[in-house]
Amino acid sequence: MRTITKQALIPALTVISLLASGCSSGSGAGTGTGTGESVEPGAGATAAQAAEGHDAADVTAGKGGSGGQRLAVSAAPSSSGPAGAAAVARPSGDGRPQYKSAVRVASYDRRSGRAVVVSPAQPLPSPSPSGSASTAPSPTPSASAPAKNSAVAVGDVIASAPAPGAPSGVLAKVTAVRGTTAKGTEVNTAPATLDALLGKGKADGKVPVDPAAVSVEPLVKGVKVSWAKNGERRFGPHGASLPLGSLRLDVGASVATAEDAPASAAASVAGFVQLSPKVEFAYDGSRAHATPSPAPANHTAPGGAFIGLSGDWSSQWRFKGQAAASTASGKPMRVPFAKLHADPVIQVGPVPVVVNLDLTCYLAVEADGRVSVDIKQDLKGDFRVGGSYSWAGGWKPVSESGMHSTPVQAAVTASGQAKATLGTEASVGLYGAVGVSADLAPYLRGEASAAAIGSSDGKGSVTADWKAFGGLDLSGSLQAQLTIFGTPLFQKRIPLGTLHREWKLASGRFSSATSQPPAG
């Protein structure tokens, strides 16, 4: 158990990036080449298409638009091959991209946009007589024709799984082909959007995040990690009891106790958070519309899109003691206790879409040091956050949660208030650009008010009413980077709005007799 002080409010947050590598790419729009975790179709697209008046059954069945071809959505298959597997397509005027044979991004420099692309069938120049790679300068960039034996051409759009120099994947358009070297085809690139690759296709589905692929960095002592992966792989002290696909973090920490509190009133927070996260993705390019200026006149936006995070939530935790916790500004004392990161790759037809997921689990305590609490509850349910786009309505936030609580025990004594939160901050992005951020914050709260009554005979009593509550706050925002779908730019963040729910766990009254010295 570690005591949380004000000095512990700003721990160093270091992300250990997990490079999710390997995915297959195929030819022909609308053909999913990957197999992997189970997929739940329809949920993401339902949100995106509802704004356009499409019924969920029509979306799942592929109706509601003309010219759209269904693209399968699945977890990208694991591969023992090199990282950087990619799909390459040449956009066409009719909204049906022409896909090329599989290539691989051997390296990428995000700052300059320069990349080296390798095709399995590409004959490369022979090495120098010394056996080392040629150090001759790269050929002058070509503005139109590709270099001889080039793996790609100017105008091609590349979508790549995490690759050297690009742990969050690559989504870029080739602007110049510099030539071929012993390492592959060197190209200059510029940022691209997904509609250039997905065209008039339609896709929707939920893909579970493999808990074994999530890196966890404990930020305080005593954090325990466990997970259970589909396929019977398990890890950690609680692995045997976890549902498949779940990730669990157990934490216990001491909280600053009121100075005059007895030893028996030492304050602490302890419990666990258990998640089964899923990435939701939807795209509907079957209804193309010209976008307003300043976009090019021939640019089209998809009819609908959705990106978000959903899943099951379970937590059980206990807040007890006579806590005295607040910052100098009067805000709750907040301490992150674990940082999680993953770059799951989902296969949308032949296109590998890299989703960047960051989670920060934290404790927050706000208490006046006067009230002593002992509150424990089980909390279970689900949540869903994300951004939903329709051509008619633009981007709109999605914020949903269905939680139910079971009080295990609750008691409050003395007079005052105390509140403890065991929450998770999440951000979801594509190819390194954050699109959705959310804060899911379940809490426990206790309060008591006392009244003293006296009489002329020296007798009196103190009566106090107390209550214990559970609650949930869900907040966040959409980021402009969601335009990576090819939708018009919005100028500022769009708040998700705050979802606030609170329920009573228990209540009661206690009283004690007092004696006063006689008057006179």
Side-chain angles (χ1 to χ4, degrees):
M1 301 282 282
R2 173 178 172 177
T3 298
I4 298 174
T5 64
K6 296 179 182 178
Q7 287 74 21
L9 290 174
I10 312 177
L13 304 181
T14 305
V15 177
I16 304 175
S17 297
L18 178 70
L19 304 184
S21 63
C23 60
S24 65
S25 56
S27 60
T31 304
T33 60
T35 59
E37 307 289 353
S38 60
V39 179
E40 301 176 28
T46 300
Q49 301 303 315
E52 293 196 281
H54 292 310
D55 158 309
D58 287 344
V59 174
T60 305
K63 302 177 184 178
S66 61
Q69 196 167 9
R70 177 63 62 187
L71 304 175
V73 178
S74 65
S78 58
S79 171
S80 58
V88 174
R90 169 66 61 85
S92 61
D94 63 358
R96 298 178 184 275
Q98 300 298 312
Y99 292 93
K100 296 188 174 184
S101 59
V103 300
R104 179 173 62 85
V105 175
S107 65
Y108 181 72
D109 184 339
R110 185 172 294 276
R111 177 175 298 181
S112 66
R114 185 170 297 186
V116 176
V117 183
V118 178
S119 171
Q122 177 184 1
L124 299 178
S126 301
S128 60
S130 63
S132 60
S134 174
T135 58
S138 300
T140 302
S142 167
S144 56
K148 185 179 180 181
N149 299 325
S150 173
V152 292
V154 172
D156 286 349
V157 177
I158 304 171
S160 169
S168 299
V170 177
L171 178 61
K173 181 178 181 178
V174 177
T175 58
V177 178
R178 305 186 64 85
T180 57
T181 70
K183 296 181 180 180
T185 299
E186 292 187 1
V187 298
N188 290 346
T189 68
T193 55
L194 273 172
D195 59 325
L197 281 166
L198 301 180
K200 291 186 177 181
K202 294 193 291 187
D204 62 89
K206 290 183 181 180
V207 179
V209 177
D210 179 1
V214 178
S215 67
V216 181
E217 179 190 4
L219 301 177
V220 300
K221 293 182 179 180
V223 175
K224 298 178 181 179
V225 182
S226 52
W227 51 259
K229 174 183 169 63
N230 291 333
E232 300 303 320
R233 289 181 58 198
R234 300 177 184 274
F235 171 82
H238 297 281
S241 60
L242 281 181
L244 295 179
S246 296
L247 177 70
R248 172 168 163 162
L249 290 92
D250 288 72
V251 63
S254 297
V255 179
T257 304
E259 292 183 0
D260 56 350
S264 59
S268 64
V269 178
F272 70 82
V273 174
Q274 182 175 301
L275 295 168
S276 299
K278 298 175 183 177
V279 172
E280 294 194 31
F281 180 93
Y283 174 87
D284 182 1
S286 63
R287 300 179 67 181
H289 302 272
T291 59
S293 60
N298 62 349
H299 183 80
T300 59
F306 184 90
I307 181 67
L309 181 70
S310 64
D312 296 327
W313 169 286
S314 177
S315 61
Q316 183 185 93
W317 52 299
R318 184 177 186 179
F319 177 35
K320 65 177 296 186
Q322 192 170 338
S326 64
T327 63
S329 61
K331 295 182 178 180
M333 187 166 61
R334 186 184 180 98
V335 180
F337 64 84
K339 184 82 172 179
L340 293 75
H341 178 79
D343 293 304
V345 182
I346 60 176
Q347 199 77 20
V348 181
V351 180
V353 176
V354 184
V355 181
N356 315 120
L357 177 62
D358 283 283
L359 300 172
T360 300
C361 297
Y362 67 89
L363 293 169
V365 178
E366 182 179 14
D368 58 16
R370 295 183 295 124
V371 65
S372 181
V373 301
D374 190 350
I375 310 173
K376 185 177 181 181
Q377 73 167 351
D378 286 324
L379 187 64
K380 295 182 179 180
D382 53 31
F383 65 94
R384 186 169 183 252
V385 293
S388 174
Y389 173 81
S390 72
W391 180 81
W395 280 103
K396 295 182 179 180
V398 174
S399 177
E400 304 169 358
S401 179
M403 299 278 188
H404 61 273
S405 170
T406 303
V408 178
Q409 64 188 62
V412 182
T413 57
S415 178
Q417 61 82 31
K419 179 180 178 180
T421 300
L422 186 62
T424 299
E425 289 183 335
S427 67
V428 184
L430 298 174
Y431 301 102
V434 174
V436 179
S437 61
D439 187 353
L440 182 64
Y443 64 82
L444 293 171
R445 184 172 72 85
E447 62 180 33
S449 58
I453 301 175
S455 62
S456 59
D457 61 1
K459 297 181 180 179
S461 65
V462 176
T463 302
D465 293 312
W466 65 269
K467 299 176 183 177
F469 301 90
L472 171 70
D473 289 323
L474 177 58
S475 60
S477 63
L478 307 185
Q479 315 291 329
Q481 288 89 338
L482 279 170
T483 57
I484 201 169
F485 281 93
T487 61
L489 177 70
F490 53 89
Q491 299 301 319
K492 59 182 181 180
R493 293 189 302 173
I494 302 175
L496 288 175
T498 299
L499 175 67
H500 174 74
R501 293 176 182 169
E502 185 170 87
W503 49 88
K504 184 187 291 186
L505 296 174
S507 62
R509 171 176 292 188
F510 61 87
S511 61
S512 61
T514 63
S515 59
Q516 301 175 359

